[in-house]
Amino acid sequence: MSTASDQPIKLTSFSHGGGCGCKIAPGVLAEILKNSSGFPVPKELMVGIETADDAAVYKLNDEQALIATTDFFMPIVDDAFDFGRIAATNAISDVYAMGGTPIMALALVGMPINKLPLDTIGNIIRGGESICAEAGIPIAGGHTIDSVEPIYGLVVLGLVHPSKVKRNADSKDGDVLILGKPLGVGVLSAALKKDALGADGYAAMIANTTKLNKPGMALAKLDGVHALTDVTGFGLLGHLLELARGAKLTAQLDMSTIPLLPGVEQLAHDGFFTGASGRNWDAYGKDVELAAGISPAQQALLTDPQTSGGLLVACDPGSVDEVLALFAQGGFGDAAVIGRMHAGAPKVTVRA
């Protein structure tokens, strides 16, 4: 007869929210930060908090700028090794999203020491180490605490030439929008938490969330790539709105061309989506115009929090083939043109 102690540890049972769905909602975050005092900004700080970009960038000299970022969250899956891999991939992505090359990481580890077996915690850390090895960087240190919920992530540092930094605010009128990974991670995670995700769905989720966004390094070298970001906790609409607001342009999406993970539209239709999806819409829905043919399930996918999501590229039309080729060479066969930037008020319009 099995006992409770014989049952496998369900990491997600320890967390009130998983992956990038843990992010504080955009509206709440804005309220928290609205009275933050200003501070002196050194001229060397090329990218700070002004456009909600993916990482900070500090110019070291004429040839090098330092990229600094951090990301951490609670478990999105129950497998400890997979959780570590996903969290590490997600954290490193912000360096790629600035067009940089990662050089090292520091681990951020908070664990309920009295509730999780030490080998489970060790597997989380080893999962993160495996992804850092794939990225070619060491975990050179970090910090650990005893916490109520399991938390894992990284501080990641990278380098980029100052002239090749790709900000999220520099798209231009007429730019084409390209998304590197399909949407639907939050929907799959919601189904997983309710034991409604099959083996194929789980495999697709892990493959998507542990694929490093390495094409960002090559995209940085293309003059025709004007803006770059990655799609994470605020969903495609939220991160695209950051591009639109930074550039003071309207972003137009074509729902029919947006790549989706297998089965997620039906799962969303069946009610499998995270609470973060609704919070995202409440925060920025006023700046989004949906065509009459957009279904509630499609709306949920547009706001779906993407843990370790894809790169979102704004490039001139003449660079589209080269951008798609770089994605394909990197194993991102689902990359697709999903819309365009054009003159108009900072907002997103979505066509069916």
Side-chain angles (χ1 to χ4, degrees):
M1 178 182 296
S2 65
T3 65
S5 61
D6 297 324
Q7 302 306 310
I9 294 291
K10 288 182 68 70
L11 282 178
T12 53
S13 69
F14 289 87
S15 57
H16 73 277
C20 284
C22 296
K23 280 189 174 183
I24 295 175
V28 177
L29 184 59
E31 184 68 19
I32 291 170
L33 297 177
K34 71 176 183 180
N35 293 322
S36 296
S37 59
F39 51 87
V41 176
K43 61 180 175 55
E44 293 86 0
L45 187 63
M46 299 179 63
V47 181
I49 64 173
E50 58 280 352
T51 61
D53 218 325
D54 300 291
V57 182
Y58 189 94
K59 184 176 180 180
L60 299 175
N61 52 55
D62 290 342
E63 299 295 321
Q64 294 177 310
L66 179 69
I67 301 171
T69 185
T70 186
D71 221 315
F72 53 89
F73 46 62
M74 283 85 81
I76 187 174
V77 295
D78 292 316
D79 183 275
F81 192 76
D82 283 345
F83 170 43
R85 294 170 66 211
I86 294 167
T89 307
N90 180 73
I92 296 170
S93 180
D94 285 339
V95 171
Y96 295 133
M98 302 305 300
T101 299
I103 56 172
M104 72 172 185
L106 306 173
L108 301 173
V109 183
M111 295 290 156
I113 297 298
N114 294 329
K115 296 181 179 179
L116 281 183
L118 296 185
D119 62 343
T120 297
I121 298 172
N123 281 333
I124 293 170
I125 294 171
R126 282 187 285 276
E129 289 172 342
S130 73
I131 290 296
C132 287
E134 187 178 336
I137 62 173
I139 295 181
H143 186 64
T144 60
I145 62 168
D146 186 357
S147 67
V148 176
E149 297 182 71
I151 298 169
Y152 179 72
L154 302 174
V155 174
V156 188
L157 301 179
L159 291 173
V160 64
H161 193 284
S163 69
K164 301 299 182 183
V165 174
K166 298 299 181 182
R167 302 183 345 131
N168 69 350
D170 295 335
S171 60
K172 302 181 186 301
D173 184 7
D175 274 356
V176 174
L177 296 168
I178 297 173
L179 181 63
K181 288 184 183 182
L183 301 181
V185 171
V187 167
L188 294 181
S189 71
L192 177 67
K193 202 160 188 178
K194 295 178 181 178
D195 296 320
L197 186 65
D200 289 345
Y202 184 80
M205 177 181 172
I206 297 303
N208 204 64
T209 54
T210 58
K211 185 180 292 187
L212 287 163
N213 281 321
K214 290 183 177 181
M217 296 183 290
L219 292 170
K221 299 174 183 176
L222 300 183
D223 291 337
V225 172
H226 299 143
L228 190 61
T229 190
D230 60 353
V231 179
T232 55
F234 298 153
L236 175 59
L237 289 180
H239 293 285
L240 183 52
L241 271 170
E242 291 173 347
L243 264 70
R245 290 164 179 164
K248 297 179 174 58
L249 295 171
T250 294
Q252 178 184 293
L253 286 178
D254 293 311
M255 189 70 216
S256 62
T257 66
I258 296 173
L260 302 175
L261 285 164
V264 293
E265 190 164 355
Q266 183 61 48
L267 285 170
H269 175 76
D270 293 340
F272 293 102
F273 45 82
T274 70
S277 182
R279 293 193 297 272
N280 283 340
W281 179 257
D282 290 343
Y284 54 65
K286 65 184 185 302
D287 293 324
V288 178
E289 295 179 5
L290 298 178
I294 301 298
S295 70
Q298 289 172 327
Q299 178 181 318
L301 286 164
L302 291 171
T303 59
D304 190 48
Q306 300 306 289
T307 300
S308 190
L311 294 175
L312 179 60
V313 184
C315 67
D316 65 52
S319 298
V320 169
D321 289 345
E322 192 169 7
V323 169
L324 289 174
L326 285 173
F327 274 123
Q329 290 165 16
F332 292 77
D334 291 314
V337 172
I338 62 169
R340 185 178 293 266
M341 305 294 289
H342 61 81
K347 64 180 179 180
V348 177
T349 64
V350 185
R351 300 192 307 192

